Amino acid sequence: MRCNYNYDMLRGAIKANFRKQSDFAAALGISERSLSLKLNNKVLFTQYEIDKAIKLLKLNPNKLKTYFFTEEV
């Protein structure tokens, strides 16, 4: 059974750095639809996408869990 993740912090970082999810999706190299599916727990982020997102959003790699692996309650 797969758990759902809370991506509120990630959404905030996307908005702060790119303003629009579509701009972030383009920079990440995926479609806006793919990003939406990932942020809504329908499809998982790949390791490559997580690594690239950390760089694009200038996130602290030590806070990876906060942005990508916080389980919904």
Side-chain angles (χ1 to χ4, degrees):
M1 185 166 109
R2 192 173 79 174
C3 65
N4 286 331
Y5 298 106
N6 180 324
Y7 291 117
D8 289 346
M9 292 290 293
L10 180 59
R11 288 176 197 270
I14 291 168
K15 191 170 191 172
N17 289 279
F18 285 87
R19 289 189 17 215
K20 295 191 294 183
Q21 285 185 13
S22 58
D23 293 339
F24 175 68
L28 194 57
I30 62 175
S31 69
E32 189 176 353
R33 174 78 174 131
S34 290
L35 179 60
S36 176
L37 289 171
K38 292 169 189 295
L39 292 173
N40 288 298
N41 287 292
K42 304 296 182 198
V43 176
L44 295 174
F45 281 94
T46 66
Q47 289 179 330
Y48 173 79
E49 291 164 344
I50 291 170
D51 185 55
K52 191 168 181 180
I54 289 168
K55 292 171 185 161
L56 289 171
L57 298 171
K58 301 175 184 102
L59 302 176
N60 180 342
N62 295 327
K63 304 269 184 178
L64 184 72
K65 183 172 175 29
T66 305
Y67 291 95
F68 289 96
F69 300 107
T70 300
E71 293 183 30
E72 286 187 341
V73 239

